[in-house]
Amino acid sequence: MVILSKVFRNTYRDSYLLMKMATAIRGREGVGNAEVMQATEPNKGLLSGGGLLTDEIRDATPNDLFICVVAEDPEKARQAFEQAKEMLEKGIALPEKTQVSKSFNSALAMLPEANLALISIPGPYVKKEALKALGKGLHLFIFSNNVEIRDEIEIKEWAIPRGLLVMGPDCGTGSIQGTALGFANKVRRGPVGLVGASGTGLQEVSVLLHQMGLGISHAIGTGSNDVSDAVGGMTMIQAIQMLEADPATEVIVVVSKPPGAMTKAKVLGHLQQCRKPVVANFLGESQEPTRGGNILFTVTLEETACRAAERLKGKWGHDLPTDIREPQSLEEEAKKLQGPQQFLRGLFSGGTLATEAGLILQGLGLPLSGNISLPGVQKLKDIRTSDGHVVVDLGADEFTMGKPHPMLEPEMRKERLLAEARDPEVAVILLDFVLGYGVHPDPVGASLPFIQEARRVARQEGRHLSFVASVCGTDEDPQNKAGQVKKLQETGVFVFSSNAQATRAAARLALRA
Amino acid sequence: MKIINTGLPQFMEALEAQSITVVHVDWKPPTEEDEEIGKLLESLL
């Protein structure tokens, strides 16, 4: 193998472009590996782990960028390297009409009525930009992760007394006054206000409400660290108060990864003071739906949407469709599976959708392994190799270090899917497809080639492989949800209206109950 | 909503697709020189 690497001094490109470059180069014939990154310490660590750290890269700074290519022979390495350089020089062309500035201050001069700053720059630089924007009275949506907790606390302590909302850091999803922020769906406006430390949790509940003919006022993302005891739920509490005061919100829905104990007590205290009905889902913390005064606790995202709809008191739209394809055909599908095929493999791009699937499968008595944080889910010995019934969140950090998130690049699920197809004990693959703004323009179209390849792999070994999916989206999303569903169904994938329904159907196939 | 987007261009594109008024900041990390000038300015003000 030949290694070719170079540092480009004082060269910065955004992380998305760098990942696209690396993915394109890795796809070339004869290329074993490629990394294109800013020379930050974590990225250097990644290279060092792969034995690729050169002295030149070690001495580089975060303002520098490196390209590193590993190929079969010098000519393949050189050609791959040249392609990377070309992509680097071209960058991403912005549409002509886009208003672009070099700094926040000049951007504000161009748009003095700006009321929100969306920040997605490397974590160490976020505080400075955030405080600049807050100082000019803008609310914040911070997509960036790797922001120091003390920076997050400082930003929120500055913003909250001034009535400014800080969604994030590490906030992937939000919707304010019908505008989708980050990865978010186009959802009908309506009376349900959501707040959450859970991106696909907010997305799934929102799209289910939309499917029921209802709508949302806002979906306020808090960022993944907000509900830790260190940050104390500052944004979550602020958002609850905002929704309580908002005349357009009639029911408050909370969807959150389990908070720290002290934070949970504070959040519940604020929820109990709400006059409006509350539906709260802490993802795995409550195993039984229970009432706590005005608060109804739920277990699954589907249940969260249904209970929120019920609490609208007579403004119920219509029932959630039970499934998109005839349930009898599931029994026909089950007959195609052989005796040894007993396992379910859930390969998820949405973390909370993976957690919901895990909760449902555990409730059905399936012993589970995977990388989701639920009590009773075993860690896999090797995260990349499944054993038994498995649910993996392929968007988690351990899979996306230096690589695009599967919601941005569906191809990231290919390798794992093909590995599962080669396993003779696998009965059914469970998938989520997340639509909306900010994510891939055609998640299903991009995935079909390797779904079909997986079927071929199994067929060559004399096996049928079942596929079950849900599509988290609305008819107003840019990807044309009906078209996405149709493409899946035409390939023999069973598509359901919710992740919960898809999970239950997949379990039926695996258990043949 | 009127938004200033600092960082990844795809978020700016997603906002434009929703007909939201947005200005994109083509952000680059500050160089050591920028940092020193910044500190100097802060000490003067």
Side-chain angles (χ1 to χ4, degrees):
Chain A
M1 279 300 208
V2 171
I3 301 169
L4 195 54
S5 72
K6 186 175 164 56
V7 169
F8 295 81
R9 298 240 167 251
N10 293 317
T11 304
Y12 174 81
R13 297 287 185 274
D14 70 71
S15 56
Y16 182 56
L17 172 65
L18 295 183
M19 283 185 197
K20 276 178 85 87
M21 286 170 63
T23 305
I25 305 307
R26 279 186 208 120
R28 290 180 67 100
E29 201 194 313
V31 170
N33 196 6
E35 300 291 354
V36 185
M37 294 173 158
Q38 300 299 138
T40 63
E41 290 311 312
N43 289 343
K44 287 186 210 176
L46 204 73
L47 272 201
S48 176
L52 299 172
L53 186 65
T54 62
D55 288 339
E56 191 192 16
I57 296 173
R58 189 182 291 111
D59 293 340
T61 75
N63 291 333
D64 307 323
L65 182 155
F66 62 79
I67 300 176
C68 183
V69 173
V70 181
E72 276 171 7
D73 58 57
E75 183 54 23
K76 291 202 172 73
R78 188 193 65 78
Q79 286 178 0
F81 195 85
E82 286 306 315
Q83 183 187 352
K85 261 183 68 180
E86 217 177 283
M87 291 176 80
L88 188 70
E89 273 144 30
K90 234 165 75 176
I92 284 186
L94 293 172
E96 266 177 31
K97 289 191 209 137
T98 302
Q99 295 193 84
V100 184
S101 72
K102 289 283 177 205
S103 73
F104 174 81
N105 289 334
S106 55
L108 194 59
M110 291 163 77
L111 189 62
E113 64 273 35
N115 48 17
L116 185 131
L118 200 164
I119 297 175
S120 56
I121 59 179
Y125 303 98
V126 164
K127 183 178 94 169
K128 194 169 170 192
E129 294 299 315
L131 292 176
K132 241 190 260 177
L134 290 171
K136 297 293 184 186
L138 275 69
H139 303 278
L140 298 181
F141 182 95
I142 305 174
F143 180 83
S144 312
N145 61 1
N146 293 322
V147 176
E148 294 280 350
I149 293 287
R150 60 171 179 266
D151 287 357
E152 177 167 350
I153 293 169
E154 189 179 335
I155 292 166
K156 290 181 177 181
E157 283 181 345
W158 202 96
I160 288 170
R162 292 164 175 83
L164 295 172
L165 184 59
V166 178
M167 291 174 277
D170 199 16
C171 180
T173 299
S175 178
I176 302 294
Q177 295 173 1
T179 299
L181 301 168
F183 305 149
N185 303 93
K186 194 71 177 169
V187 177
R188 188 182 297 111
R189 300 301 309 284
V192 180
L194 296 95
V195 51
S198 152
T200 42
L202 288 179
Q203 288 188 260
E204 178 79 344
V205 175
S206 301
V207 307
L208 293 179
L209 288 167
H210 183 102
Q211 280 194 69
M212 288 189 268
L214 299 167
I216 68 170
S217 51
H218 313 285
I220 302 173
T222 64
S224 66
N225 293 315
D226 185 70
V227 295
S228 64
D229 280 338
V231 182
M234 281 195 269
T235 296
M236 178 156 286
I237 291 166
Q238 182 191 32
I240 290 166
Q241 291 166 338
M242 283 181 163
L243 292 174
E244 171 74 354
D246 173 36
T249 299
E250 293 176 26
V251 173
I252 296 171
V253 168
V254 176
V255 181
S256 172
K257 60 204 266 190
M262 288 192 305
T263 303
K264 188 174 184 183
K266 272 201 283 185
V267 167
L268 288 178
H270 282 275
L271 289 173
Q272 276 155 4
Q273 287 170 41
C274 292
R275 291 176 317 274
K276 297 176 183 175
V278 175
V279 180
N281 182 335
F282 292 109
L283 290 166
E285 285 234 314
S286 329
Q287 294 306 310
E288 294 293 326
T290 55
R291 283 191 174 271
N294 63 323
I295 309 172
L296 183 61
F297 294 99
T298 52
V299 176
T300 66
L301 300 169
E302 180 184 62
E303 191 191 356
T304 306
C306 291
R307 299 291 88 79
E310 283 167 5
R311 302 196 91 186
L312 283 170
K313 294 190 179 27
K315 292 190 190 166
W316 177 263
H318 51 77
D319 287 342
L320 191 65
T322 49
D323 57 54
I324 296 176
R325 185 142 156 189
E326 293 299 319
Q328 298 90 295
S329 48
L330 255 192
E331 278 155 34
E332 290 304 310
E333 180 75 4
K335 289 176 191 164
K336 298 177 192 169
L337 298 165
Q338 295 165 5
Q341 289 180 275
Q342 52 178 314
F343 293 130
L344 178 155
R345 301 278 156 84
L347 308 182
F348 283 86
S349 58
T352 307
L353 296 173
T355 302
E356 183 187 40
L359 281 167
I360 291 168
L361 293 170
Q362 283 185 317
L364 291 170
L366 273 71
L368 275 191
S369 304
N371 66 338
I372 49 175
S373 315
L374 284 178
V377 175
Q378 298 293 319
K379 297 270 171 240
L380 289 164
K381 287 198 196 79
D382 171 8
I383 192 73
R384 290 169 206 283
T385 306
S386 295
D387 184 23
H389 298 293
V390 169
V391 172
V392 277
D393 168 15
L394 292 168
D397 288 347
E398 54 266 36
F399 290 106
T400 54
M401 212 29 152
K403 294 191 165 58
H405 194 284
M407 273 163 54
L408 299 176
E409 285 292 351
E411 178 107 357
M412 293 296 109
R413 288 200 281 194
K414 175 181 174 180
E415 196 185 316
R416 189 55 174 262
L417 180 53
L418 293 177
E420 306 299 356
R422 285 188 281 269
D423 183 343
E425 292 186 301
V426 172
V428 56
I429 308 280
L430 174 61
L431 298 169
D432 61 343
F433 290 90
V434 182
L435 309 185
Y437 289 99
V439 301
H440 194 278
D442 183 8
V444 171
S447 305
L448 281 181
F450 52 89
I451 290 177
Q452 284 157 338
E453 195 181 334
R455 281 200 195 280
R456 268 196 303 275
V457 162
R459 199 166 40 239
Q460 273 161 14
E461 296 175 10
R463 280 180 281 114
H464 177 77
L465 193 57
S466 293
F467 283 86
V468 178
S470 65
V471 177
C472 179
T474 75
D475 49 2
E476 295 181 31
D477 280 328
Q479 290 92 348
N480 178 10
K481 181 179 176 178
Q484 295 281 292
V485 169
K486 188 159 180 253
K487 277 198 270 199
L488 284 170
Q489 288 176 327
E490 283 169 353
T491 328
V493 176
F494 285 76
V495 186
F496 289 85
S497 301
S498 69
N499 180 52
Q501 288 176 18
T503 303
R504 288 191 291 266
R508 276 174 61 190
L509 283 173
L511 297 173
R512 302 267 225 276
Chain B
M1 300 217 79
K2 307 232 186 279
I3 299 181
I4 293 177
N5 180 64
T6 303
L8 298 175
Q10 76 239 42
F11 291 135
M12 176 267 302
E13 288 162 12
L15 292 168
E16 287 185 333
Q18 299 175 74
S19 305
I20 297 294
T21 306
V22 54
V23 173
H24 178 65
V25 177
D26 186 18
W27 183 89
K28 306 261 184 283
T31 59
E32 276 181 30
E33 275 175 10
D34 293 335
E35 300 273 16
E36 281 179 26
I37 291 170
K39 282 187 193 141
L40 190 61
L41 283 172
E42 272 178 41
S43 68
L44 292 173
L45 293 166

